Amino acid sequence: MRLQSLMGKSLLLGLVAALGCSKSQPAATSAEAAAARPTSVSVAAAVRRDVPIYLDGLGSVVAWKTVTVRAQVDGRLDKVRFREGQQVRRGEVLAEIDPRPFLAQLHQAEGALARDSAMLRNGRLNLERYTNLRKQDLIAQQQADDQQAAVDQLAGAVSVDQAQIENAKLQLSYAQITSPIDGVTGVRLIDEGNLVHSNDAGGLVVVTQLDPIAVVFTLPEDDLPRLLPRQKQGPVTIEAYNREGDIHLGTGELLVIDNQINQSTATVRLKAAFPNPERKLWPNQFIKARLLLDVRKDAIVIPAVAVQRGPKGTFVYTVSADQTAAQQPVELAEITGPEAVITKGLSEGASVIIEGQNQLRPGAPVAVARSGRPGDKSAAERPAGGKGAPGGKTHGG
């Protein structure tokens, strides 16, 4: 009886073990099949060419000159001779103030000059007579001296009158309000018929010079060690793009690097001058600026998305001849926009994986779904900050 019981338990254990083996075997087979299934990837070929290296910053457009045109004398505004948005030249008449009060002052000063000039002529004749009489010892020296003093006073009065005439002419010229610079007029701030004063805060109109125009932008202070030597070599080119980074607005030249760093943002300001004949740049417009720092000659270039970082440094996945993924260590020189410049680890023509590499391990089989080159306008290669245009920060390796 006991023997039968032992035989029954052995049979039951055998059945359980057989069932366990039958369940684990399909699971193992499924894992092996998944590992053997190729991963769909996209690749791009490493190319050798010259690569411009840019420093990218954000900034805004600043008018080259901005002047608020104000009246320099008090009076009634008779005429406005400009149209809003008109291109004006330096010295062009923009408005006129009633000139009659200033003409009256001018005529008054001219009359005073005529009077004092006549008195001066008469005084000089008397002085000449007194001088002759004094030589004959017919009058006292005191009389001759008094006449000389009177002539000197009259000469001073004539000089004052001439200054009054000059001032009256100046006030009369101020009755014609002219543009102090070449530029474009803004919105008219006051209408004809109003009384204007030299101390009015608003002024008549704002004139802005738009060509040339300036761009002020910032760069991280860490870029200064590379930027300062480049500035000493010659003119530094600046490219301006719209805020989305997909429209080129102009090419200018660096004017100045600010003489201090903003400690709160760890950035430095730069100012560049841009020719602006087509008015693509407008004051206070937000822009993206690209400073051409250098051009790397004959460099190996791959899409920046191919570069991976691990515990041992940077690497890329390449496609081997047997259609498997290989992990290739590389030395990174620059990432500029959507492209990475490689100094060591890749040769021209190598196929690097740019999509699907997150699912790979060395030796895993791959299936190439799409091939491309650096600079292709694909979603993987397009910079995050723009729509296919130059964008993204430049980083050193």
Side-chain angles (χ1 to χ4, degrees), residues 114-130 147-148 150-151 154-155 158:
R115 179 197 63 202
D116 293 339
S117 296
M119 294 176 64
L120 177 59
R121 288 193 300 270
N122 184 61
R124 284 173 175 169
L125 290 174
N126 288 334
L127 178 61
E128 185 178 353
R129 296 188 188 101
Y130 285 6
Q147 186 61 32
Q148 180 65 56
V151 169
L154 290 171
V158 168

Side-chain angles (χ1 to χ4, degrees), residues 43-385:
V43 300
V47 297
R48 184 182 296 276
R49 58 178 172 82
D50 296 343
V51 181
I53 305 301
Y54 291 98
L55 300 178
D56 295 345
L58 302 176
S60 60
V61 181
V62 179
W64 193 254
K65 293 179 182 177
T66 300
V67 177
T68 300
V69 180
R70 294 183 171 90
Q72 293 180 269
V73 292
D74 299 346
R76 187 186 68 198
L77 187 62
D78 273 356
K79 296 179 181 179
V80 174
R81 294 189 174 276
F82 68 89
R83 299 186 313 276
E84 295 170 317
Q86 175 185 345
Q87 178 74 37
V88 295
R89 307 295 296 178
R90 180 176 182 177
E92 184 174 342
V93 177
L94 301 180
E96 293 181 6
I97 296 174
D98 183 3
R100 291 174 296 177
F102 311 109
L103 281 171
Q105 293 176 7
L106 175 60
H107 295 157
Q108 184 178 3
E110 290 173 342
L113 176 61
R115 179 197 63 202
D116 293 339
S117 296
M119 294 176 64
L120 177 59
R121 288 193 300 270
N122 184 61
R124 284 173 175 169
L125 290 174
N126 288 334
L127 178 61
E128 185 178 353
R129 296 188 188 101
Y130 285 6
T131 302
N132 292 331
L133 292 173
R134 177 57 190 154
K135 290 179 180 179
Q136 299 174 22
D137 202 18
L138 296 176
I139 60 172
Q141 181 64 39
Q142 181 66 40
Q143 287 182 286
D145 292 342
D146 289 345
Q147 186 61 32
Q148 180 65 56
V151 169
D152 292 341
Q153 289 178 0
L154 290 171
V158 168
S159 297
V160 171
D161 293 337
Q162 290 173 339
Q164 291 292 338
I165 290 175
E166 292 176 1
N167 182 65
K169 288 181 178 179
L170 181 62
Q171 300 303 307
L172 181 59
S173 70
Y174 287 160
Q176 285 195 331
I177 303 173
T178 60
S179 175
I181 61 173
D182 296 341
V184 177
T185 58
V187 176
R188 188 176 68 251
L189 303 177
I190 193 168
D191 297 324
E192 295 176 354
N194 285 279
L195 290 177
V196 295
H197 305 85
S198 58
N199 58 354
D200 287 344
L204 277 71
V205 68
V206 176
V207 179
T208 303
Q209 185 173 354
L210 301 179
D211 185 19
I213 204 164
V215 166
V216 176
F217 62 101
T218 59
L219 289 176
E221 62 176 315
D222 295 338
D223 290 333
L224 273 178
R226 296 195 297 170
L227 179 57
L228 291 175
R230 173 64 186 88
Q231 187 186 27
K232 295 178 181 179
Q233 295 174 5
V236 181
T237 300
I238 310 293
E239 303 286 343
Y241 291 84
N242 67 333
R243 62 188 308 161
E244 287 80 18
D246 58 352
I247 300 177
H248 182 262
L249 301 176
T251 301
E253 183 177 314
L254 180 66
L255 287 180
V256 65
I257 302 173
D258 200 0
N259 58 4
Q260 57 185 345
I261 293 172
N262 188 328
Q263 289 186 333
S264 61
T265 60
T267 58
V268 61
R269 291 196 310 168
L270 300 93
K271 184 178 181 180
F274 283 74
N276 193 34
E278 298 179 2
R279 305 291 192 268
K280 290 184 177 181
L281 295 169
W282 210 253
N284 298 327
Q285 178 182 5
F286 181 85
I287 57 97
K288 291 184 177 181
R290 307 196 77 204
L291 184 150
L292 181 59
L293 183 67
D294 193 10
V295 177
R296 285 187 175 268
K297 302 292 186 180
D298 202 30
I300 295 294
V301 185
I302 62 173
V305 294
V307 179
Q308 306 290 304
R309 289 173 173 81
K312 297 182 179 180
T314 55
F315 66 92
V316 297
Y317 278 111
T318 61
V319 178
S320 301
D322 58 355
Q323 295 299 298
T324 59
Q327 192 178 89
Q328 178 62 45
V330 295
E331 290 186 6
L332 179 66
E334 303 275 353
I335 290 182
T336 174
E339 298 178 341
V341 180
I342 305 300
T343 57
K344 186 177 180 180
L346 286 178
S347 58
E348 184 178 4
S351 294
V352 296
I353 297 175
I354 58 175
E355 288 182 7
Q357 62 266 52
N358 295 333
Q359 307 172 18
L360 296 179
R361 66 180 190 281
V366 296
V368 177
R370 184 178 59 84
S371 299
R373 294 168 60 86
D376 287 351
K377 305 299 182 184
S378 67
E381 298 170 43
R382 189 161 51 234

Side-chain angles (χ1 to χ4, degrees), residues 29-40 359-361 364-367:
T29 304
S30 176
E32 292 175 359
R37 186 182 303 119
T39 302
S40 179
Q359 307 172 18
L360 296 179
R361 66 180 190 281
V366 296

